[in-house]
């Protein structure tokens, strides 16, 4: 997946999460305090996951670039 695709995935996750929280609030299954607390935890976790995933993508790209440069140096690519 590209960084853009992953960003779109996280946006969909956030939308689904917000829809679920809104539904629970509307049905008075949870109160606003719980919603606020869980939102913070959800977005903190989501942001940490985004950073980890972005780093993995960059590391992968850097590895590929280094390999390509090595192959070009050997005229194998």
């Amino acid at each position: 997946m590209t960084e853009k695709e992953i960003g779109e995935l996280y946006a969909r996750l956030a939308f689904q999460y917000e829809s679920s929280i809104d539904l629970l609030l509307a049905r008075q299954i949870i109160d606003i305090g719980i919603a606020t607390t869980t939102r913070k935890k959800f977005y903190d976790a989501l942001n940490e996951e985004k950073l980890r995933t972005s780093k993995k993508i960059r590391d992968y790209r850097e590895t590929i670039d280094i390999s390509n440069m090595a192959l070009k140096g050997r005229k194998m690519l």
Side-chain angles (χ1 to χ4, degrees):
M1 292 183 96
T2 66
E3 287 186 59
K4 181 181 177 188
E5 291 170 330
I6 290 171
E8 291 169 355
L9 173 65
Y10 289 132
R12 287 192 302 271
L13 285 172
F15 180 75
Q16 289 174 344
Y17 176 81
E18 289 296 331
S19 296
S20 299
I21 291 294
D22 290 344
L23 182 63
L24 293 171
L25 284 168
R27 292 185 180 180
Q28 298 179 344
I29 296 172
I30 62 172
D31 66 19
I32 194 72
I34 291 171
T36 302
T37 300
T38 58
R39 273 189 179 112
K40 180 173 177 3
K41 289 179 183 178
F42 173 79
Y43 285 107
D44 286 349
L46 187 64
N47 288 333
E48 286 177 27
E49 182 62 25
K50 276 191 215 178
L51 288 173
R52 275 194 301 274
T53 303
S54 292
K55 184 176 179 344
K56 286 179 187 176
I57 290 171
R58 279 192 303 274
D59 290 348
Y60 173 77
R61 286 185 180 156
E62 288 172 4
T63 302
I64 296 298
D65 289 344
I66 290 168
S67 296
N68 286 340
M69 287 188 323
L71 291 173
K72 284 179 184 177
R74 294 181 189 162
K75 305 215 187 303
M76 295 176 75
L77 186 66

